[in-house]
């Protein structure tokens, strides 16, 4: 049977050459030259002064929260519809995630719900750009200014995307990226923290590296972590960064072709192609099953799996996570749009290795399943 994975990384640039350089020179650790080159490249991409490479996108968010000294009793407004990596750092430091629901079309946080959730305890707004379209940033920037709040920007799904022409990853007091294999740039595992503030950059670098004192090694005035990225990871990351334009163009091609093939079949909601601030970059190509279909996303994913097609369900809202229920967080809170997306949304194969023929095959099988209902 033909098999189409939900995603496969494509390592056809300088990845092998740079990795060989690591081995030939013996530089495999964090101290190697590719780490700095990759940091510099990501800072240039996002127009930021400082970049701090870390071991993955989840700890990039931990680093951001710790660097901003968000702690016990503080509140941070964030979308419920996201990955747990966004809420976990807040909960770990004793801060309270204050959730907002999603827009049913862009799937991003409902920006108009932010202001009514601001209290005297609010320290920050954590924006998370979802699946390919950025959050509408102008109103968020205005609120942050008006109420003197930090912005943490999770741009893990937005390498190469812009908002009104300005790069995603340039909006947060601290912004973060992930380089997991399904991201536009991968290094297997990896992450980046970006900022324009020297003090924050230094704090992030210290948090990443056990808070070694700059004066004397093995002296520590605060507790940090080992969140370091290796030179091997950065070598792959840099090679991936060099061909980001090509990756983004391919993602947009994939999105446009799926749009064309799926637009008129009925039964499914497809991604918004563009808003007045951005063209979709289709990090993943998500679909949401109409309410009147008799099966949910899990069942649809199972049936496509039986046809050899790999899919993944959408995020499951933070307010519905058993781990947080156990902590008595988000009791009785309801976010109907996010709940619907979690149950009826999933994404279909959208890796850069796909060709047009693969996409036509995927759509053919989707139609087959829809016709059987
Ligand atoms: C992938 C992702 C992360 C986590 O990154 P990892 O590198 O997998 O730890 C965080 N936030 C968002 C929005 C993501 O998509």
């Amino acid at each position: 049977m033909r098999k189409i994975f939900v995603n496969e990384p494509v390592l056809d640039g300088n990845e092998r050459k740079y990795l060989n350089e690591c081995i030939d020179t013996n530089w495999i650790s964090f101290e190697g030259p590719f780490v700095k080159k990759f940091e510099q490249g990501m800072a240039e991409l996002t127009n930021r002064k400082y970049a701090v490479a870390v071991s993955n996108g989840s700890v990039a968010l931990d680093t951001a929260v710790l660097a901003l000294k968000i702690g016990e009793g503080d509140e941070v407004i964030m979308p419920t519809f996201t990955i747990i990596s966004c809420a976990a750092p807040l909960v770990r430091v004793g801060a309270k995630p204050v959730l907002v629901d999603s827009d049913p079309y862009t799937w991003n946080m409902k920006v108009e719900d932010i202001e009514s959730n601001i209290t005297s305890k609010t320290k920050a707004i954590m924006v998370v750009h979802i699946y390919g379209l950025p959050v509408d940033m102008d109103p968020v920037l205005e609120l942050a200014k008006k109420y003197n709040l930090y912005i943490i920007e999770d741009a893990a799904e937005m390498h190469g995307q812009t908002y009104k022409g300005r790069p995603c990853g340039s909006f947060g007091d601290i912004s973060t990226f992930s380089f997991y294999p399904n991201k536009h740039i991968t290094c297997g595992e990896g992450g980046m923290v970006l900022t324009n503030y020297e003090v924050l950059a230094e704090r992030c670098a210290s948090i990443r590296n056990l808070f070694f004192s700059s004066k004397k090694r093995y002296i520590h005035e605060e507790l940090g972590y080992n969140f370091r990225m290796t030179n091997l990871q950065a070598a792959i990351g840099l090679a991936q960064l060099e061909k980001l334009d090509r990756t983004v163009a391919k993602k947009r091609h994939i999105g446009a072709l799926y749009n064309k093939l799926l637009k008129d079949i009925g039964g499914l909601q497809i991604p918004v192609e563009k808003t007045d601030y951005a063209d979709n970059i289709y990090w993943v190509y998500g679909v949401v099953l109409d309410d009147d279909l008799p099966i949910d996303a899990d069942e649809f994913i199972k049936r496509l799996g039986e046809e050899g097609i790999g899919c993944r369900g959408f995020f499951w809202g933070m307010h519905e996570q058993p781990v947080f229920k156990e902590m008595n967080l988000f009791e009785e809170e309801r976010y109907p749009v996010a709940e619907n997306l979690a149950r009826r949304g999933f994404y279909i194969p959208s890796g850069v290795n796909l060709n047009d023929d693969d996409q036509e095959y995927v759509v053919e099988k989707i139609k087959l399943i829809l016709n059987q209902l």
Side-chain angles (χ1 to χ4, degrees):
M1 189 174 58
R2 188 161 170 182
K3 210 158 166 43
I4 301 182
F5 292 99
V6 67
N7 179 76
E8 271 182 85
V10 174
L11 308 169
D12 62 351
N14 283 321
E15 290 87 347
R16 187 184 303 270
K17 177 170 170 249
Y18 293 167
L19 270 181
N20 278 332
E21 266 179 59
C22 296
I23 292 166
D24 293 341
T25 58
N26 259 346
W27 280 114
I28 57 174
S29 76
F30 163 70
E31 305 283 342
F34 283 117
V35 177
K36 276 170 206 76
K37 282 186 196 163
F38 188 33
E39 286 175 337
Q40 207 177 344
M42 284 303 295
E44 271 164 30
L45 175 73
T46 54
N47 267 328
R48 305 314 298 259
K49 285 200 190 126
Y50 306 100
V52 175
V54 293
S55 34
N56 58 64
S58 300
V59 302
L61 287 160
D62 280 286
T63 304
V65 167
L66 293 167
L68 293 171
K69 299 188 177 170
I70 290 168
E72 196 70 46
D74 293 335
E75 295 180 0
V76 176
I77 299 171
M78 59 170 285
T80 188
F81 185 70
T82 182
I83 188 169
I84 197 155
S85 312
C86 300
L90 301 172
V91 173
R92 278 197 275 262
V93 298
K96 183 177 164 208
V98 175
L99 304 177
V100 301
D101 206 356
S102 307
D103 176 273
Y105 302 103
T106 66
W107 308 329
N108 273 308
M109 73 196 291
K110 269 179 83 180
V111 167
E112 57 277 24
D113 286 359
I114 295 175
E115 189 165 17
S116 60
N117 281 295
I118 296 174
T119 72
S120 58
K121 293 180 182 160
T122 310
K123 261 281 187 71
I125 303 169
M126 184 187 282
V127 294
V128 188
H129 309 297
I130 302 283
Y131 295 165
L133 273 179
V135 172
D136 188 5
M137 286 307 300
D138 279 345
V140 180
L141 293 169
E142 240 170 72
L143 287 175
K145 201 165 157 196
K146 182 170 165 195
Y147 294 96
N148 197 22
L149 306 174
Y150 293 125
I151 293 179
I152 301 170
E153 179 192 18
D154 182 354
E157 306 176 357
M158 291 294 130
H159 322 63
Q161 178 60 297
T162 56
Y163 171 84
K164 296 188 177 171
R166 183 177 153 186
C168 290
S170 73
F171 290 94
D173 292 283
I174 300 187
S175 302
T176 63
F177 282 90
S178 158
F179 307 112
Y180 188 70
N182 63 357
K183 310 288 155 112
H184 297 158
I185 296 175
T186 184
C187 36
E189 297 284 356
M192 195 73 70
V193 182
L194 296 125
T195 182
N196 278 343
Y197 300 105
E198 191 181 3
V199 197
L200 285 180
E202 277 173 10
R203 260 190 81 73
C204 289
S206 295
I207 291 162
R208 161 187 70 182
N209 198 17
L210 296 169
F211 253 102
F212 278 115
S213 159
S214 54
K215 294 179 207 89
K216 187 168 159 55
R217 203 171 170 82
Y218 299 114
I219 300 288
H220 309 265
E221 275 147 20
E222 274 190 63
L223 286 181
Y225 294 87
N226 176 356
F227 287 160
R228 298 184 300 252
M229 175 184 276
T230 69
N231 204 44
L232 298 166
Q233 287 166 287
I236 298 179
L238 182 68
Q240 290 263 307
L241 173 60
E242 289 169 352
K243 50 180 197 173
L244 178 62
D245 287 349
R246 188 149 53 97
T247 304
V248 167
K250 181 68 198 276
K251 282 279 185 180
R252 288 207 163 113
H253 171 83
I254 291 170
L257 181 57
Y258 272 142
N259 285 344
K260 194 177 114 197
L261 298 170
L262 288 169
K263 204 168 49 191
D264 298 318
I265 68 168
L268 298 172
Q269 178 192 339
I270 61 174
V272 172
E273 225 176 299
K274 61 164 79 183
T275 61
D276 56 6
Y277 47 81
D279 290 350
N280 205 321
I281 203 175
Y282 305 101
W283 168 60
V284 293
Y285 192 93
V287 297
V288 183
L289 299 171
D290 284 355
D291 289 344
D292 53 3
L293 289 183
I295 63 173
D296 64 5
D298 281 348
E299 179 61 25
F300 213 103
I301 291 169
K302 189 170 142 253
R303 294 193 193 181
L304 279 168
E306 286 160 4
E307 303 287 350
I309 296 167
C311 298
R312 288 272 186 290
F314 272 11
F315 292 131
W316 201 264
M318 292 304 104
H319 68 289
E320 296 199 275
Q321 296 295 339
V323 59
F324 294 143
K325 284 211 175 113
E326 191 67 26
M327 299 173 177
N328 302 321
L329 281 168
F330 318 128
E331 278 178 317
E332 313 293 325
E333 293 181 28
R334 294 261 74 99
Y335 302 97
V337 177
E339 288 169 21
N340 185 63
L341 292 174
R343 285 160 181 80
R344 304 200 73 79
F346 61 99
Y347 51 93
I348 60 180
S350 34
V352 276
N353 65 320
L354 283 192
N355 59 41
D356 292 5
D357 199 46
D358 294 329
Q359 291 189 254
E360 277 161 21
Y361 181 78
V362 170
V363 171
E364 194 185 301
K365 295 299 178 192
I366 290 174
K367 282 184 185 165
L368 187 78
I369 294 168
L370 285 170
N371 286 337
Q372 287 164 350
L373 297 176

